[in-house]
């Protein structure tokens, strides 16, 4: 890896995020962008109108560091309504600039130099950088595919990962990029180990409303876990508003205070006119959430079947809006090479999952496609892939 002049040693090696690189490639080649995860249709009009009205009439000045009071109430209502968690809106919520800031602020706010953070590989790209910024070290546990095309971890490997330097486990469920939804038994094991080793948990639940099989469960709800768990989410994925960058962390006051303390010196506060509209989004009725997931399930089925018809070996996701496919049968041994060739070969952009692994060779054969696109766009991408891989 080439050294970047002037860049601090904590960020050497992190380069440019793959999502920006692949979106730039899609723009340059005019390919269909199934790389970076964002929907091609904006979220509810009434919610966007509320944000526009707020930009005209206010609030437009600094909101409170921990977020507008009514948004904090809406977040606590949401946590109760969907996951049965009782959250004090005054002490147990902090609003952040996207889930990204919540994750970074949690790492910086909770880790000491040299601490270890357990992550499941493949790992969302901001985790490793956030861990490094915090002066900590990642301790990866690899999710490996089974014969049934499910991604699972080895219990012994997870047990071994917990040690005297472990500060926290950073978990993502539903999981990007694999689409795995951690099961009740897996979460129970994680909880047991956190309690046994007195380790904190930070759980990124940005895909909480995108579960197609089974159900999403919050680790914080498990016995003995609330007091050691921070739960993170954001408006982006659940409401198709990824550019708003409003996120939040909920949990016991001590952990939320650590996030807020870091957050106040990173951004101080988060976009004022978006906060009342985000509160309304969280209060949308069940019809919104039901039709959102039903709609996305249809797109999942469409893209997964289409990829299979083009000859890909597909890992059907239980959640998120991503699908992983294996490219080995096309004679490729390197997902990066495959993804760089794909725009020219097929007019489609995908993301090489390699970049999500601490040990890249674990992900050599996997690429990720995003299906949060209009059915006609997915159909066009499928017919291009079928033509490119006859
Ligand atoms: N975590 C995961 C797993 C993600 O996929 C993303 C992208 N939405 C984020 C965090 C960042 O979320 P936000 O855009 O709210 O910062
Ligand atoms: N979460 C999105 C993804 O996984 C990307 C967000 C970003 O570009 N940072 O594709």
């Amino acid at each position: 890896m080439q050294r970047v002049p002037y860049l601090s040693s904590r960020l050497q090696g992190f380069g440019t995020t793959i999502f920006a690189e692949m979106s730039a490639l899609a723009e340059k080649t005019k390919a269909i962008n199934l790389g970076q995860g964002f929907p091609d249709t904006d979220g509810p009009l009434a919610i966007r109108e509320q944000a526009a009205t707020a930009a005209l009439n206010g609030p437009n000045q600094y909101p409170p560091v921990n977020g507008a009071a009514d948004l904090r109430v809406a977040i606590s209502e949401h946590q109760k309504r969907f996951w049965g968690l009782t959250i004090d809106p005054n002490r147990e919520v902090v609003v952040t600039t996207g889930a990204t800031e919540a994750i970074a602020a949690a790492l910086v706010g909770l880790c000491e130099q040299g601490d270890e953070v357990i992550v499941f590989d493949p790992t969302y790209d901001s985790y490793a950088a956030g861990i490094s910024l915090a002066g900590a070290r990642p301790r990866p546990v690899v999710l490996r595919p089974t014969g049934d095309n499910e991604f699972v971890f080895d219990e012994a490997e997870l047990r071994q990962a917990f040690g005297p330097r472990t500060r926290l486990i950073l978990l993502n469920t539903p999981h990007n990029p694999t689409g795995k939804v951690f099961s009740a038994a897996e979460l129970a094991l994680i909880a047991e180990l956190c309690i046994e080793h007195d380790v904190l948990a930070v759980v990124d639940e940005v895909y909480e409303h995108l579960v197609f099989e089974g159900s999403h469960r919050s680790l914080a709800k498990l016995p003995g876990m609330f007091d050691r768990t921070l739960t993170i989410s954001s408006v982006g994925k659940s409401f198709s508003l990824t550019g708003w960058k409003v996120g939040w962390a909920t949990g016991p006051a001590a952990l939320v205070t650590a996030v807020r303390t870091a957050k106040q010196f990173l951004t101080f506060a988060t976009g004022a006119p978006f906060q009342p509209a985000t509160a309304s989004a969280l209060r949308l009725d069940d019809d919104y959430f039901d039709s959102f997931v039903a709609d996305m399930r249809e797109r999942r089925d469409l893209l997964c079947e289409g990829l299979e018809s083009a000859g890909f070996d597909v890992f059907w996701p239980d959640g998120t809006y991503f699908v992983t496919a294996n490219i080995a049968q096309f004679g490729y041994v390197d997902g990066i090479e495959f993804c760089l060739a794909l725009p020219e070969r097929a007019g489609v952009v995908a993301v090489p999952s390699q970049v999500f692994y601490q040990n890249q060779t674990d992900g050599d054969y996997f690429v990720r496609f995003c299906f949060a696109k209009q059915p006609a766009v997915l159909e066009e991408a499928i017919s291009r892939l079928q033509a490119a891989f006859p």
Side-chain angles (χ1 to χ4, degrees), residues 97-100 103 124 127 172 176 204 206-207 234 237 242 245:
T97 303
T100 309
I103 294 160
Y124 181 61
Y127 294 8
N172 173 216
N176 176 10
D204 173 352
V206 296
Y207 299 100
S234 73
K237 307 290 170 166
T242 61
K245 300 299 293 186

Side-chain angles (χ1 to χ4, degrees), residues 101-162:
E101 188 194 33
I103 294 160
L107 291 164
V108 169
L110 294 169
C111 291
E112 299 292 348
Q113 184 79 28
D115 279 354
E116 286 183 5
V117 174
I118 298 174
V119 291
F120 288 96
D121 257 13
T123 300
Y124 181 61
D125 77 335
S126 82
Y127 294 8
I131 291 167
S132 187
L133 281 176
R137 287 193 309 248
R139 181 75 162 80
V141 173
V142 182
L143 297 173
R144 292 202 168 80
T146 62
D148 298 336
N149 276 11
E150 296 269 330
F151 283 91
V152 294
F153 62 85
D154 178 57
E155 179 176 337
E157 203 180 322
L158 181 65
R159 284 187 184 279
Q160 267 168 18
F162 280 80

Side-chain angles (χ1 to χ4, degrees), residues 201-317:
V202 175
V203 192
D204 173 352
E205 302 189 354
V206 296
Y207 299 100
E208 60 194 334
H209 292 296
L210 280 166
V211 174
F212 313 117
E213 313 297 337
S215 32
H216 172 70
R217 289 180 180 80
S218 275
L219 186 68
K221 188 73 181 134
L222 269 61
M225 286 308 287
F226 183 80
D227 285 341
R228 59 177 71 245
T229 305
L230 261 176
T231 304
I232 290 172
S233 192
S234 73
V235 77
K237 307 290 170 166
S238 300
F239 303 100
S240 301
L241 296 165
T242 61
W244 281 22
K245 300 299 293 186
V246 178
W248 48 88
T250 63
L255 296 184
V256 165
T257 300
V259 176
R260 194 190 60 220
T261 306
K263 182 239 154 70
Q264 70 189 335
F265 302 116
L266 292 170
T267 56
F268 180 70
T270 295
F274 293 119
Q275 294 202 25
T278 298
S280 298
L282 289 167
R283 290 175 173 135
L284 285 170
D285 59 22
D286 290 349
D287 280 355
Y288 167 77
F289 294 95
D290 294 345
S291 60
F292 176 62
V293 70
D295 191 42
M296 230 35 114
R297 181 184 285 109
E298 279 176 23
R299 294 164 198 228
R300 174 196 66 158
D301 296 353
L302 177 64
L303 185 61
C304 289
E305 280 162 11
L307 288 170
E308 282 177 347
S309 73
F312 287 85
D313 185 11
V314 173
F315 296 80
W316 282 66

Side-chain angles (χ1 to χ4, degrees), residues 310-374:
F312 287 85
D313 185 11
V314 173
F315 296 80
W316 282 66
D318 288 345
T320 76
Y321 44 50
F322 303 111
V323 49
T324 295
N326 192 325
I327 49 146
Q329 65 273 33
F330 298 125
Y332 283 90
V333 291
D334 178 359
I336 293 182
E337 197 188 310
F338 177 88
C339 288
L340 289 176
L342 199 59
E344 196 168 321
R345 183 161 177 182
V348 172
V349 162
V351 164
S353 305
Q354 259 169 58
V355 300
F356 303 125
Y357 289 81
Q358 317 302 306
N359 175 8
Q360 289 209 350
T361 53
D362 286 327
D364 275 351
Y365 297 107
F366 303 134
V367 300
R368 190 197 79 174
F369 295 88
C370 172
F371 53 81
K373 308 293 169 186
Q374 291 174 37

